[in-house]
Amino acid sequence: MIKISTTSKLDGIRSWSLQAIDTCPGSIASPGVLVDACKGCYATTGNYHYPNVKAPRISNREDWQRLEWCDDMVAALDSDRYFRWFDSGDVYTLALAEKMLEVMIRTPWCKHWLPTRMHKFPKFRMVFDQMRALDNVSVRFSSDSVIGEYIDGLHGSVIGPDASTFQARAGVSLCRAYEHNGTCSGCRACWDKSVDLIAYPAHGAKMAKVIRILKA
Ligand code: SF4
């Protein structure tokens, strides 16, 4: 059964998610070591430990493998105009990416935002290119940096210590959720294909600690 979640940050926009880290091969820097951006992952703390938050993510990992999953996802998105893939987790296998592509193609009324680190694995590039060719899909390759470093033309999002890190940079759209109690408050830049890179000022005590350690 399709299990969709809603995060308050995204103005009630819905999301399909998996368990963080377990389904994030792109989060591994070396055996046992996470990339910097994932060391402060919000999806491994707080509410994400609650059974009612974990259960749908665990269920979804099995559920997407059903033959009817694409049909059911298309039906579930009937009233959505914006959708986010992976409030937590990532496209850990190519078979899932190919099914997501089918859902995107069959829901042209809905804008999809897919943030991912799976771009590191060449076999995913073709399916990401196919997604990006669709008018209603924004695929953003996440930088691993938490100090604002990214590769022009590759990354579509990056974390930095604070808003001032990014202010002078052209082509970068700053996430201003911090000015609106941590909510998007009508902004839809992450879904906007014309925005090359979203810069997220670091949020959360855990991420602030990661940045302090890296800058020491
Ligand atoms: S850039 Fe805009 S749409 Fe993206 S998370 Fe921030 S406030 Fe929301």
Side-chain angles (χ1 to χ4, degrees):
M1 179 184 166
I2 302 289
K3 294 190 188 296
I4 305 268
S5 46
T6 306
T7 52
S8 51
K9 175 180 178 179
L10 299 182
D11 298 342
I13 289 169
R14 304 194 312 154
S15 188
W16 186 89
S17 296
L18 297 170
Q19 279 284 86
I21 309 297
D22 294 353
T23 60
C24 302
S27 71
I28 308 299
S30 58
V33 180
L34 295 175
V35 300
D36 292 341
C38 296
K39 288 174 182 166
C41 178
Y42 62 88
T44 60
T45 58
N47 290 350
Y48 288 85
H49 285 310
Y50 293 149
N52 66 326
V53 177
K54 288 173 82 168
R57 289 163 171 77
I58 292 168
S59 167
N60 282 343
R61 185 165 182 169
E62 298 300 320
D63 190 55
W64 73 262
Q65 299 176 54
R66 283 186 300 117
L67 276 179
E68 308 81 13
W69 185 80
C70 289
D71 293 344
D72 291 351
M73 275 300 295
V74 170
L77 296 184
D78 189 44
S79 300
D80 294 80
R81 294 300 172 265
Y82 291 89
F83 190 74
R84 176 187 175 167
W85 291 92
F86 304 112
D87 173 57
S88 61
D90 206 342
V91 202
Y92 67 100
T93 175
L94 196 53
L96 171 59
E98 286 165 351
K99 284 196 165 187
M100 288 167 53
L101 172 63
E102 180 180 337
V103 173
M104 291 165 175
I105 290 170
R106 293 172 59 190
T107 54
W109 60 84
C110 179
K111 289 186 187 299
H112 297 257
W113 163 30
L114 168 59
T116 182
R117 294 184 197 284
M118 296 305 289
H119 58 87
K120 298 174 186 178
F121 305 98
K123 68 179 181 181
F124 284 81
R125 285 298 181 89
M126 185 182 291
V127 70
F128 288 150
D129 285 347
Q130 290 172 296
M131 290 176 179
R132 283 181 157 163
L134 301 171
D135 290 340
N136 60 324
V137 180
S138 167
V139 181
R140 295 195 177 277
F141 294 169
S142 306
S143 163
D144 290 337
S145 173
V146 293
I147 55 171
E149 293 177 343
Y150 62 92
I151 298 171
D152 256 333
L154 174 68
H155 293 128
S157 65
V158 63
I159 298 167
D162 52 53
S164 65
T165 315
F166 305 107
Q167 273 168 4
R169 299 197 193 178
V172 175
S173 179
L174 180 67
C175 174
R176 295 187 178 280
Y178 64 92
E179 293 178 350
H180 307 284
N181 295 321
T183 65
C184 294
S185 208
C187 174
R188 298 290 180 264
C190 288
W191 287 265
D192 186 341
K193 291 167 73 81
S194 71
V195 175
D196 292 334
L197 186 104
I198 306 282
Y200 300 102
H203 55 84
K206 194 173 172 191
M207 183 55 80
K209 187 176 170 195
V210 169
I211 289 171
R212 272 202 307 279
I213 292 168
L214 290 172
K215 290 175 88 180

